[in-house]
Structures are given as structure tokens and as C-alpha cells.
Amino acid sequence: MERNSLNSLGVYRRSLALRDMSEAVAAYFTQNREILSLRKIDSFRDDISKSLLADADLITKEVEQAALSNCPSVRMRSLSYVNIMTRNILAYCNGLERDGVKEKEYLNLLRKEIRIFRVSFKKWRKSLTNKND
């Protein structure tokens, strides 16, 4: 697959939507307004927000790497990594909720975005593993 055709890949578009949603949630819940520049972290929420941003960005990069790679082992490592990062983001939502976030509807929107991404990701992963056979 060529880099230009990534935008036609549904799972890649879903990863971008997930990244955008994660960025919005992180920006909303952080107390450090410089969090988007990934500078010094001051509080638990800031730490979670930073991790949320990093993992959502890594999901997009790993989907891109898996799509562009011709090596099955690189592809499988990226796919495995995406699974870990999606679980991490769900854990961050739980951490924010336990920290006393009152606006749970934002966390639920992010959880919904994760579910939508996972459905798309599983279909795409299955097509990749079938391609390797």
C-alpha cells in the first residue's frame, strides 16, 4: 500500500478520529494548559492526559506502519501494539473517572470512539492475517 492511499483505509481514518477525540478529552481534563506541548507534568490528570495523547498518536502511527509494511512480523507486532494501546486508553478513562471527573459523558464518548475503532480494526486485522496465509 502506498502512503497516499492511507486516507482511503477505513481503520486509518478511524484512528485519526480516535486521536482527535483523545486530544480533545485530554485538553479538556488537563489542568496544565501546556499539556499539548508535552512539557512538565504537574498532576495525576495531567499525567493521564499526556499518556492519552501519546497512546492515541501511537495507534495512528502503528496502523500506518502495519498498512505500509510488507513484512508479516512487523505487521503483526504493530497490530499487537495497537491492541495494547486501545486497552491503555480505556484504562485512562477509568483512571480519570476514579479521580473524580464529573463530566463522564466525555469519557463515554471516548469509550464509544474506542469501540468503533476496535470494530474497524478487527475487520482490517482479519483481512491482513488472511492476506498472509
Side-chain angles (χ1 to χ4, degrees):
M1 173 176 274
E2 292 181 24
R3 185 169 295 279
N4 297 341
S5 62
L6 275 175
N7 284 330
S8 65
L9 192 60
V11 71
Y12 183 73
R13 287 192 314 270
R14 295 285 2 138
S15 75
L16 292 174
L18 175 61
R19 187 185 66 191
D20 292 344
M21 175 71 73
S22 296
E23 187 175 307
V25 167
Y28 184 80
F29 287 124
T30 188
Q31 296 162 353
N32 176 0
R33 291 300 162 202
E34 295 179 357
I35 191 68
L36 297 179
S37 66
L38 299 176
R39 292 192 183 137
K40 184 181 175 196
I41 303 301
D42 296 325
S43 72
F44 179 70
R45 286 188 190 180
D46 292 341
D47 192 27
I48 288 180
S49 296
K50 177 185 172 216
S51 298
L52 182 61
L53 288 172
D55 286 359
D57 192 47
L58 284 172
I59 287 173
T60 300
K61 288 177 182 174
E62 291 296 328
V63 166
E64 183 177 336
Q65 183 172 345
L68 296 175
S69 177
N70 291 325
C71 178
S73 63
V74 169
R75 206 177 291 141
M76 294 311 289
R77 186 195 59 78
S78 291
L79 296 175
S80 172
Y81 201 62
V82 168
N83 277 329
I84 293 167
M85 294 300 105
T86 55
R87 284 193 310 262
N88 285 353
I89 291 175
L90 290 173
Y92 301 146
C93 289
N94 293 339
L96 285 169
E97 198 166 2
R98 286 187 192 110
D99 192 47
V101 167
K102 300 209 184 315
E103 300 86 354
K104 292 179 183 171
E105 61 272 5
Y106 296 121
L107 298 176
N108 290 333
L109 284 172
L110 184 54
R111 287 178 179 126
K112 182 179 178 184
E113 194 64 43
I114 284 283
R115 282 192 302 272
I116 292 169
F117 170 77
R118 278 184 156 174
V119 168
S120 177
F121 177 72
K122 286 177 183 178
K123 287 179 187 174
W124 180 65
R125 181 182 63 201
K126 194 172 192 176
S127 75
L128 284 180
T129 54
N130 289 341
K131 189 167 117 177
N132 288 340
D133 295 340

